[in-house]
Amino acid sequence: MAKSPEEEHPKKALGWAARDSSGVLSPFKFSRRATGDKDVTFRVLYCGICHSDLHMIKNEWGSSTYPLVPGHEIVGVVTEVGSKVQNFKVGDKVGVGCMVGSCHSCDSCSNDLENQCSKMILTYGAKYHDGTTTYGGYSDLMVADEHFVVRIPENLPLDAGAPLLCAGITVYSPLRYYGLDKPGMQVGVVGLGGLGHVAVKFAKAMGVKVTVISTSPNKKKEALEHLGADSFLVSKEQDQMQAAQGTLDGIIDTVSANHPLLPLIGLLKTNGKLVMVGAPEKPLELPVFPLLMGRKMVGGSCIGGMKETQEMIDFAAKHNITADIEVIPMDYVNAAMERLVKVDVRYRFVIDIGNTLNSSN
Amino acid sequence: MAKSPEEEHPQKVFGWAARDSSGVLSPFHFSRRQVLFLPSELYHDRENGDDDVTVKVQYCGVCHSDLHTVKNDWGFTRYPVVPGHEIVGVVTKTGKNVNKFKVGDRVGIGVLVGSCKTCESCQQDLENYCPRMIFTYNARYHDGTRTYGGYSDMMIVEERYVLRFPDKLPSDAGAPLLCAGITIYSPMKYYGMTEPGKHLGVSGLGGLGHVAVKFGKAFGLKVTVISTSPRKEEEAIDKLGADSFLVSSDPAKMKAAMGTMDYIIDTVSAVHPLAPLLGLLKLNGKLIMLGLPEKPLELPIFPLVFGRKLVGGSDVGGMKETQEMLDFCAEHGITADIELIRMEEINTAMERLAKSDVRYRFVIDMANSVSQ
């Protein structure tokens, strides 16, 4: 008979879990495995709330199993390392993102693309090598294989750095892969949420000129004055969109709702690239003429491998890039989820696990 | 009042034109502009020089775009239209500024006859992406007149847009390279689809598709033809040299081939689903669209995001690259598989083309056609 979550491993752990597709989270006692040879154990201090967490707790993708402890933007301080761990020691500031395992032998793994490994193990809601369910960062303790742990440089604040572990790598990777990182280029960012605002910051740090494209005119001031975007387009304003035709080398599209691609393709210069990092569920209409006439492309991207994630964190530390966050106590999480549905956050909630997740909750 | 096609220019030309969207072609008398031919003593007077080359047309390939155009499938045809942009012939006259060609040279004319020459695209030898690029037919030339294409006995084209036809390349079987050839060659280079040992899928085995198989093999790729027609398999493998053949309407075979291709060239111009093609690609794979469907296609985003795949387009190539492609074909012995027809047989050929009943390009043999 399968052991209960509380009994299956030797270390006691406390988290908040969704019990069903209502998505309501509540305290959940479970356990973490003993620190294996290659494992790093750390006390969680902060965990970012990613929009994926919302999709998962409500089973919107149909893959959720309950109880579900979300959270894959996890940072904390190392308390124990396994005997074969090379790169970390007790006291180090570390983070874990969207993955905690992969096969280590396929082509993808050999090319530092663990995120593309067919046996990649998600940080939460997945089956680990030992058959137990993975529980994420809305919890007080994490145990992870060293390979999937990143070092957080001293000068990167833990709370505002946490969202980089998913949002950061999700936009950093395609900026590099699709070559939209050359100084002087003009890149558009569609959608100004968790992903979008970080995309603006990374692109600016790479020397790129940034145009934010949004349906909300009220985001303009902040985009230009606070985030440092060079210009702002309201996507429903035909005149603005028309005037900006053929001006962008690339576009990072963070919007996961269904939306038309034609106006975005029109904004691209010849050889321009539209990169989807949001994943609308239903197919979108692809106008083929403009793609051919301008040698344009539509591509996608999803997080990144561990090597690149570390590179991204180091780049962020060097350029003082952090997410704009609203720190919340653990017991605010359900209210935060409701606000996230309404996009009422600038631009990521981060749970103050260290100070507010304790057994008295 | 605008002059008639016959009167607007000094040189009389005979061709075949479509008059309306039935697409039926018939004899059409029109005219082309004069090439200034000055005595050699006046060669130094460059300001008055002409940059044009006059070509007697020997062969013209029948491209599917010609069919789309005569039927106004894309909605921008102006009648009367004389199609044809896979033109091979012999130089009969050169303007005094022309120094790349001389009378008697064998030359080719492809999809464009003009561009602005000053924009970024033109300066990067990408005249095909110039916003003011002028198509060989159905377009407005610098002087405001309509361009008429190679279904005619003579062409006059500015030197920059004329190509040298290599000695080893036959005029008839080489003609389709001027559109089909460059349409395949350019994206294979641009999108990095030339790494030996990689696996290329070619969707659609027509004019473009059969050339793609030949280029694919020349680049050392493994080539799989993806087609709705099982009857094309034997020839694809035995004659064209494809390594395998995938019938796209066979669900089991398609499933087994999922995630096996590094690149796919999609030549199909009918509306068709992209999801199965994206599924055939490996991670980080590239689907390149070359056909021009009338309507937008449905693009599933999940495979792009989770597989880091991309869908890109391409449209012919610049003049420099077209010349490079012709030289490449001459070196590797690549020509199109053609069926020669006389100009008078064009309407039947168009009907057969609509049914994909040609292996794999019709080429009009102008010399053996009735001239008036």
Side-chain angles (χ1 to χ4, degrees):
Chain A
M1 197 183 104
K3 289 188 175 174
S4 73
E6 241 185 303
E7 292 166 331
E8 63 186 355
H9 296 296
K11 293 195 179 63
K12 286 200 188 320
L14 175 66
W16 276 48
R19 261 53 172 199
D20 55 45
S21 62
S22 69
V24 171
L25 295 135
S26 55
F28 172 64
K29 287 185 190 159
F30 66 108
S31 52
R32 294 271 187 209
R33 64 178 185 272
T35 307
D37 289 347
K38 296 191 187 159
D39 284 338
V40 171
T41 296
F42 63 97
R43 183 163 64 88
V44 179
L45 294 177
Y46 297 98
C47 187
I49 297 183
C50 177
H51 209 116
S52 305
D53 298 346
L54 179 56
H55 290 307
M56 285 297 282
I57 58 181
K58 298 204 169 200
N59 196 19
E60 282 170 14
W61 292 331
S63 59
S64 304
T65 54
Y66 299 98
L68 184 84
V69 176
H72 56 205
E73 297 181 334
I74 318 164
V75 295
V77 177
V78 177
T79 55
E80 195 187 344
V81 296
S83 58
K84 295 197 174 129
V85 167
Q86 311 255 324
N87 300 317
F88 301 99
K89 59 187 193 308
V90 171
D92 281 351
K93 298 200 179 105
V94 295
V96 164
C98 304
M99 321 176 267
V100 290
S102 70
C103 84
H104 299 298
S105 55
C106 69
D107 272 351
S108 296
C109 287
S110 307
N111 286 315
D112 299 311
L113 291 169
E114 297 88 348
N115 52 318
Q116 294 192 340
C117 170
S118 59
K119 300 204 179 79
M120 183 268 285
I121 301 170
L122 293 170
T123 298
Y124 65 83
K127 277 263 169 299
Y128 199 62
H129 299 298
D130 61 1
T132 61
T133 301
T134 55
Y135 293 116
Y138 293 17
S139 61
D140 56 0
L141 191 71
M142 277 295 291
V143 180
D145 184 310
E146 168 181 38
H147 190 90
F148 297 92
V149 177
V150 295
R151 192 181 351 91
I152 308 285
E154 269 313 305
N155 69 308
L156 200 63
L158 288 181
D159 53 358
L164 297 176
L165 291 160
C166 179
I169 185 60
T170 297
V171 297
Y172 180 90
S173 187
L175 283 169
R176 292 289 193 212
Y177 181 70
Y178 288 100
L180 299 176
D181 56 348
K182 313 280 178 290
M185 277 189 160
Q186 313 253 31
V187 171
V189 175
V190 186
L192 202 59
L195 291 181
H197 91 289
V198 171
V200 175
K201 296 187 185 202
F202 274 123
K204 290 302 299 169
M206 292 167 179
V208 166
K209 283 205 175 338
V210 177
T211 298
V212 170
I213 302 148
S214 172
T215 50
S216 326
N218 54 25
K219 293 189 178 179
K220 178 173 180 174
K221 190 162 186 273
E222 197 162 300
L224 298 178
E225 292 174 21
H226 177 68
L227 295 172
D230 298 276
S231 55
F232 189 94
L233 284 177
V234 180
S235 42
K236 288 175 187 162
E237 291 291 327
Q238 302 271 32
D239 296 342
Q240 282 182 31
M241 292 293 277
Q242 192 60 32
Q245 291 256 307
T247 57
L248 301 178
D249 295 282
I251 295 172
I252 303 283
D253 186 352
T254 74
V255 174
S256 52
N258 207 301
H259 60 287
L261 296 182
L262 179 60
L264 298 177
I265 291 173
L267 293 175
L268 294 171
K269 292 178 182 173
T270 300
N271 304 321
K273 303 167 188 177
L274 172 58
V275 183
M276 314 296 292
V277 294
E281 273 175 60
K282 296 213 168 43
L284 301 182
E285 252 189 24
L286 177 71
V288 182
F289 257 81
L291 220 60
L292 267 68
M293 294 303 158
R295 197 162 63 175
K296 300 177 183 180
M297 70 171 83
V298 181
S301 188
C302 180
I303 51 173
M306 292 318 300
K307 183 168 176 230
E308 194 173 34
T309 303
Q310 184 67 66
E311 181 191 298
M312 175 277 304
I313 291 281
D314 294 339
F315 180 89
K318 182 173 169 194
H319 294 271
N320 291 312
I321 296 170
T322 54
D324 288 8
I325 63 172
E326 183 177 327
V327 180
I328 60 159
M330 187 74 245
D331 59 10
Y332 189 76
V333 71
N334 290 311
M337 287 298 187
E338 278 169 35
R339 284 179 52 198
L340 185 54
V341 173
K342 290 178 278 184
V343 197
D344 173 24
V345 56
R346 277 205 191 77
Y347 289 94
R348 258 305 197 246
F349 289 111
V350 172
I351 307 168
D352 183 354
I353 302 272
N355 291 319
T356 66
L357 173 63
N358 46 53
S359 43
S360 63
N361 274 355
Chain B
M1 195 183 107
K3 289 188 172 172
S4 73
E6 236 185 310
E7 292 166 330
E8 62 188 353
H9 295 296
Q11 297 201 76
K12 291 208 182 317
V13 189
F14 173 71
W16 277 52
R19 255 73 164 184
D20 57 45
S21 63
S22 71
V24 172
L25 296 121
S26 54
F28 174 62
H29 294 275
F30 62 108
S31 51
R32 293 211 191 266
R33 66 185 184 277
Q34 183 72 284
V35 167
L36 292 178
F37 181 63
L38 299 173
S40 53
E41 330 43 294
L42 295 176
Y43 246 62
H44 306 293
D45 185 5
R46 290 195 182 282
E47 287 162 53
N48 295 328
D50 199 345
D51 303 305
D52 290 340
V53 175
T54 299
V55 177
K56 180 174 149 78
V57 178
Q58 293 176 323
Y59 296 100
C60 187
V62 177
C63 177
H64 207 120
S65 302
D66 299 347
L67 178 55
H68 285 304
T69 302
V70 298
K71 296 229 166 203
N72 197 17
D73 285 346
W74 296 323
F76 56 83
T77 303
R78 300 240 286 221
Y79 296 99
V81 62
V82 176
H85 56 206
E86 295 179 339
I87 310 161
V88 180
V90 174
V91 176
T92 56
K93 217 189 277 186
T94 58
K96 71 172 182 56
N97 283 349
V98 171
N99 45 39
K100 285 198 300 182
F101 303 102
K102 57 187 193 306
V103 171
D105 281 351
R106 220 158 45 101
V107 295
I109 298 152
V111 177
L112 36 140
V113 293
S115 67
C116 84
K117 299 185 209 156
T118 54
C119 71
E120 221 179 300
S121 291
C122 284
Q123 291 189 21
Q124 289 171 9
D125 298 312
L126 293 170
E127 298 91 341
N128 51 320
Y129 296 115
C130 168
R132 291 206 283 282
M133 181 265 289
I134 302 172
F135 288 122
T136 299
Y137 63 81
N138 191 38
R140 195 171 170 276
Y141 199 65
H142 300 297
D143 60 2
T145 60
R146 300 299 292 169
T147 55
Y148 296 113
Y151 291 17
S152 59
D153 54 9
M154 179 246 272
M155 292 289 295
I156 298 175
V157 176
E158 199 185 314
E159 175 182 32
R160 180 173 171 152
Y161 308 95
V162 177
L163 297 140
R164 184 185 21 86
F165 228 65
D167 289 339
K168 284 198 251 170
L169 212 51
S171 297
D172 53 359
L177 297 173
L178 291 159
C179 178
I182 185 60
T183 297
I184 299 291
Y185 184 86
S186 186
M188 288 192 77
K189 289 293 203 126
Y190 179 68
Y191 289 101
M193 300 159 77
T194 57
E195 214 183 307
K198 297 282 189 190
H199 188 179
L200 169 71
V202 177
S203 172
L205 197 62
L208 289 182
H210 92 289
V211 168
V213 174
K214 296 186 185 206
F215 276 122
K217 294 312 298 171
F219 284 122
L221 307 175
K222 175 178 162 186
V223 178
T224 295
V225 170
I226 305 154
S227 173
T228 50
S229 326
R231 61 184 170 83
K232 293 188 178 182
E233 174 163 4
E234 200 185 317
E235 200 167 292
I237 304 207
D238 295 340
K239 185 149 184 285
L240 297 173
D243 297 280
S244 57
F245 191 93
L246 185 54
V247 179
S248 43
S249 46
D250 184 333
K253 296 253 164 71
M254 286 293 278
K255 189 153 186 242
M258 283 187 68
T260 59
M261 299 179 192
D262 295 281
Y263 341 105
I264 293 175
I265 291 178
D266 187 358
T267 72
V268 175
S269 56
V271 169
H272 60 287
L274 294 181
L277 295 176
L278 289 170
L280 292 174
L281 287 173
K282 291 179 185 172
L283 296 170
N284 310 312
K286 303 171 187 178
L287 170 60
I288 306 308
M289 312 291 299
L290 300 177
L292 280 166
E294 289 163 46
K295 295 193 174 58
L297 300 181
E298 264 191 11
L299 178 68
I301 305 295
F302 271 43
L304 300 186
V305 172
F306 296 113
R308 198 163 65 170
K309 299 178 183 180
L310 68 85
V311 178
S314 184
D315 183 31
V316 299
M319 300 317 302
K320 183 169 175 229
E321 194 173 34
T322 306
Q323 186 66 66
E324 180 188 301
M325 177 276 305
L326 289 175
D327 294 336
F328 179 88
C329 288
E331 191 190 323
H332 291 265
I334 297 172
T335 54
D337 289 9
I338 64 170
E339 183 177 328
L340 276 181
I341 60 164
R342 287 171 293 118
M343 186 77 247
E344 306 83 77
E345 295 169 310
I346 186 62
N347 290 311
T348 311
M350 288 291 194
E351 278 168 33
R352 283 180 53 198
L353 180 56
K355 288 179 284 187
S356 213
D357 174 25
V358 55
R359 282 198 188 78
Y360 288 94
R361 259 296 200 253
F362 290 112
V363 173
I364 302 166
D365 181 351
M366 215 57 74
N368 285 324
S369 304
V370 171
S371 56
Q372 281 294 333

